[in-house]
Amino acid sequence: MDPALSAVRLTVREAIHTLSSCEDGGRVLSTLGSLRRYLSGAENPALPGEQEEFARVHFSALLRCLVGRLSPGWLGLLPDGQVEELWASFFLEGPADQAFLVLMESVEGAAGPSFRLMKVAQLLARFLSAGRMAAVMEGQCRQVTELASPLLQETLLAEVVGLPDRLGNRLQRENLDAFLPQNYFPLLGEEMMRALQAVVDSLRGGWDCSVSFLSQVLGKACVRGRQKEMLGVLVPRLTTLTQGSCLWQRVCWRLVERVPDRAVEALLTGLVEVAAGPEVLSRLLGNLVMKNKKAQFVVTRKLLFLQYQYSTPMLQSLLGYLATDSQRRPLLVQALKGLLETWGSCSAVRHAPLAQQCYISKAVLICLALLGEAELQDSRDELLTSLMAGVKSRLDSSLPVVRRLGMIVAEVASARLHPEGPPLKFQYEEDELSREMLALAAPRPAADSPLEASPVITPEAAETPGRGSVDGGVPQALPEGSGSDLDSDDELVPYDMSGDQELKRSKAPTYVRDCVEALTSSEDWERWEAALRALEALVIRNPAAAREVSVELAKVLLHLEEKTSVEGFEGLRQRALVAVVVTDPAPVAEYLTSQFYALNFSLRQRMDILDVLTLAAQELSRPGRRPKAPQCDPPGPAPPPGSAVAPAWRAVVEERIRNKTRRFSQGSARRGRDAGANQFSSVAGYFFFPLIQHFDRPLVTFDLLGEDQLVLGRLAHTLGALMYLAVNTTVAVTMGKALLEFVWTLRFHSDAYVRRGLLSAVSSVLLSVPAERLLADLPDELLETRSWLAGECQAPAAWARRVVGGWCSGHRGTGQRRGPRTVTSPPSVHEMVPGGGVGTQLLSSHFGEVLQEDPREGAPMWETVCLFWKILYLL
């Protein structure tokens, strides 16, 4: 045995015995001072061999002895904290990994809050603030030739990453700020950067190092959900360091390559979120997706198809990373094929959330913008097949947003995949989403390619075009005698043209027949536009003349096409049609309902028929309805200028009486609503029954039970609106029975929009038909509807009973029965269900007033069930 090694063992053994039993402060101080010579950096250091043996064999035992002696009396053996400072120096200056493990062991071994636990926690906080955690990780990186014990590394890994949880569990309310996760993990990121700097310095000096332990620490912290704190510190520093150093890039690539597979997804997600652009991501990751199958799966599948909560810049960084290197570009083509296949799936269109469909559509546009013409042409047939299937499925959807997504992607993809063909153009409303997607589709110029030269026009040049240059920068020659003082227009006052009217050659028609002639055979477009604008007022002002040509006029308006750019053409056409239906309801409604199932009509025309019927029915059911006053003045001599029109004598007398009468109390001056008969009750059958009669008969170009489910949903909403507007009429029971049979036939339809229309229809039956008539005339249909609602509704019964009970308690003792619906006007039409049509808006506005306690507004299932239970309670 080496005598020097035996001397170190004897010295440490005697020192531990002395420290364990001695209560003399001077002797304790001398013993600790004699042991400090074995630490690196001491004033009188021991031999290197002795220091190595002390650190490898005896240091941990000495630290455990020092922690075991920790008490207020032992630290107070000498004044001014001399013992405590010397005691702490062994933890702060000795081997960092052993000191850290002993401190964590002491924290976990404490039975509860105590003086020793708080002193150890404070020392551990000093240990972290002194940068000793970097020394712990650096020591593990340098152990390459003589490998450390896997058990030791696993223990260190668990203690380093789990420190906030362990200290929080032990200290409870006494926890220190340094151990809080939001403070500890950024500090851990700083310490990791110091360790990486030490690794780079060692590599430059010719020493071998490993970053496996750092990779495991980073991966485990990311798995615990601390990507933001860790990578928020690491990524900005690594972005700067890897920009001009190949060595730093290699170290960074090896750092992410050694991360365990179970932590790859968490690490990549955090990196993509924090990295500022695809170039930075490429420098940090390298070709990780080509070397690691798990990373390739996460980047090309999971982050694109299974998760969709990430932002658009993150999606651009992710796909741009695949496009920045020639070895990774095949993965981008593969990702585009998978995205278009998913985008074109009919099942995905029906069942995927709208947010996910937007996410995938954005990814498709970004891929198309990043890929070149040659890469797209190699897979053009496969991509076009998926594209056409997706366009068909999305244009058949009942949601306007889904249809708009299909239009935008189809336009961009067809232009990129088939540039030699005619461009594909759709008409859709531009909103924030569409503008964002079109911006994503714009190809980005390469960083090293010069931009196309374009003339830059300054504001001064834009304001004074006469001083600018024309055709290649040649200045214009100014005429003789001209100068800047003569061209000044500052003293001229602009003429007020706000009241000017456009002069038109054609005069507006005076009779309805003239309008029909102008709309059918006129080649004068000004006369055609004037006839369209004047038609509504003429029909309202001359109902007798309108009835003579009502069906012919409805036919003309239904087939009318916009031949010129008339502002508000659709609104003018719809209001004129509604006025014709209101003026002559029975024959015009009979004609429109027959044309709804006729051949050679577009889906837009059929939905226009439904909207017109709903608006006309609402106008006819409005109590106290009177014809609108004509907008033009009646013929007759005009009063001379300066003379006032004499008021009526009755108004003068009432005003005098009101001024000379003393009143001791002023009552309410508000007038009630005008009462009147429901004019829709006599013609409701002409609107309702022809629409519901042939819905199950497919035509060559129209199949409600097949592909035209959007029109079927609008039909269900329209029938519900007509049922609601026919409340308490003689034909309401027959209409309700037919409508419940219609609902029962389609109750299991696959489209959610159609099912929503069916629920609105059921609600309108419960609202419109009196409760006693429901049980007397429709018992079977009522029971079938109840079983269907009970099977479909997924809500807790307790909430519904509470809502219904509160409603019934407010109406139980009033003694009021449902009276005739002749004096109450339907609610105003305002949109609560986007894209649902007029019928959906009408019923939704009513439901919003009936069920105000519903925590989820706009859910027809809740409304239908509650209305159903209300009727059963009243009976």
Side-chain angles (χ1 to χ4, degrees), residues 420-711:
E420 64 274 7
L424 184 62
K425 291 294 182 181
F426 292 94
Q427 293 182 355
Y428 51 84
E429 297 180 2
E430 288 192 4
D431 56 356
E432 183 178 356
L433 177 61
S434 61
R435 287 190 290 269
E436 178 186 3
M437 296 189 67
L438 291 175
L440 293 176
R444 304 170 186 81
D448 54 350
S449 63
L451 297 177
E452 297 181 359
S454 59
V456 179
I457 303 177
T458 61
E460 293 79 9
E463 293 175 359
T464 59
R467 305 177 191 175
S469 59
V470 180
D471 295 335
V474 180
Q476 287 182 331
L478 296 177
E480 295 182 1
S482 62
S484 59
D485 54 342
L486 300 179
D487 296 337
S488 177
D489 296 338
D490 295 340
E491 297 180 358
L492 299 179
V493 179
Y495 186 75
D496 185 12
M497 303 179 64
S498 58
D500 289 2
Q501 296 182 355
E502 183 181 359
L503 296 178
K504 297 184 179 180
R505 295 175 298 175
S506 300
K507 187 178 180 181
T510 312
Y511 301 99
V512 177
R513 288 186 180 275
D514 295 342
C515 291
V516 176
E517 180 183 357
L519 293 175
T520 53
S521 60
S522 177
E523 295 296 334
D524 186 357
W525 302 124
E526 290 189 1
R527 183 166 178 259
W528 184 86
E529 180 180 351
L532 180 60
R533 294 187 180 278
L535 182 57
E536 180 188 7
L538 290 176
V539 170
I540 296 174
R541 189 171 57 188
N542 304 314
R547 292 190 189 98
E548 296 178 0
V549 292
S550 58
V551 177
E552 180 183 359
L553 184 56
K555 182 178 180 180
V556 171
L557 291 173
L558 184 60
H559 293 82
L560 192 64
E561 297 180 357
E562 185 178 6
K563 299 180 180 180
T564 60
S565 299
V566 179
E567 184 178 359
F569 169 78
E570 294 295 337
L572 294 172
R573 174 172 163 267
Q574 186 185 70
R575 289 195 296 271
L577 261 174
V578 171
V580 174
V581 177
V582 171
T583 302
D584 199 8
V588 180
E590 188 175 0
Y591 167 75
L592 291 178
T593 53
S594 65
Q595 297 304 301
F596 181 76
Y597 290 105
L599 293 172
N600 301 326
F601 276 89
S602 64
L603 298 183
R604 179 69 266 172
Q605 287 175 310
R606 301 182 198 275
M607 289 190 288
D608 287 343
I609 291 175
L610 296 178
D611 288 344
V612 167
L613 291 175
T614 304
L615 291 172
Q618 185 184 14
E619 179 66 20
L620 288 170
S621 64
R622 186 165 56 90
R625 187 184 67 85
R626 296 184 180 88
K628 297 179 183 178
Q631 299 179 357
C632 55
D633 295 334
S643 63
V645 179
W649 65 270
R650 188 181 300 275
V652 176
V653 172
E654 290 179 355
E655 181 67 22
R656 290 176 180 175
I657 295 175
R658 189 181 305 111
N659 294 335
K660 295 183 178 181
T661 303
R662 286 186 65 185
R663 290 183 174 86
F664 297 97
S665 65
Q666 184 71 28
S668 176
R670 293 181 300 177
R671 296 180 57 187
R673 293 182 178 179
D674 296 334
N678 190 343
Q679 298 183 14
F680 181 63
S681 60
S682 59
V683 293
Y686 294 98
F687 285 70
F688 184 85
F689 293 109
L691 286 180
I692 206 173
Q693 191 172 8
H694 303 299
F695 75 93
D696 56 346
R697 297 182 184 178
L699 301 176
V700 178
T701 59
F702 187 48
D703 186 8
L704 283 176
L705 300 183
E707 299 178 352
D708 300 323
Q709 53 193 8
L710 173 61
V711 185

Side-chain angles (χ1 to χ4, degrees), residues 256-424:
V256 295
E257 288 172 5
R258 294 296 181 89
V259 171
D261 287 346
R262 65 180 180 274
V264 167
E265 179 183 353
L267 174 65
L268 289 178
T269 303
L271 280 175
V272 174
E273 288 180 342
V274 177
E279 294 81 7
V280 174
L281 199 60
S282 180
R283 294 204 305 267
L284 297 181
L285 294 180
N287 282 333
L288 178 65
V289 292
M290 307 300 296
K291 302 176 182 179
N292 191 321
K293 293 296 182 182
K294 180 64 178 294
Q296 181 176 336
F297 172 78
V298 170
V299 171
T300 60
R301 302 295 300 179
K302 198 161 189 179
L303 294 182
L304 295 179
F305 298 95
L306 302 181
Q307 299 177 4
Y308 53 91
Q309 71 272 20
Y310 304 115
S311 62
T312 303
M314 173 184 168
L315 193 58
Q316 290 177 304
S317 298
L318 180 66
L319 296 172
Y321 160 71
L322 297 178
T324 51
D325 189 83
S326 58
Q327 297 182 9
R328 301 191 293 264
R329 291 187 73 86
L331 295 180
L332 183 61
V333 178
Q334 178 184 348
L336 177 59
K337 292 180 181 179
L339 287 169
L340 270 180
E341 182 180 357
T342 303
W343 187 83
S345 172
C346 181
S347 177
V349 174
R350 289 176 177 270
H351 302 101
L354 183 59
Q356 186 176 14
Q357 297 190 40
C358 294
Y359 184 81
I360 293 178
S361 301
K362 292 178 182 178
V364 170
L365 296 180
I366 294 173
C367 290
L368 291 172
L370 293 174
L371 290 173
E373 296 293 339
E375 295 168 316
L376 292 175
Q377 293 302 319
D378 293 341
S379 307
R380 183 171 73 172
D381 295 338
E382 182 180 353
L383 296 176
L384 281 176
T385 302
S386 301
L387 176 67
M388 292 300 104
V391 171
K392 181 180 181 301
S393 301
R394 292 180 183 277
L395 292 183
D396 290 341
S397 174
S398 57
L399 299 177
V401 180
V402 177
R403 295 197 298 272
R404 193 179 303 123
L405 289 177
M407 296 175 189
I408 296 174
V409 175
E411 287 183 358
V412 176
S414 63
R416 293 302 313 277
L417 298 177
H418 200 266
E420 64 274 7
L424 184 62

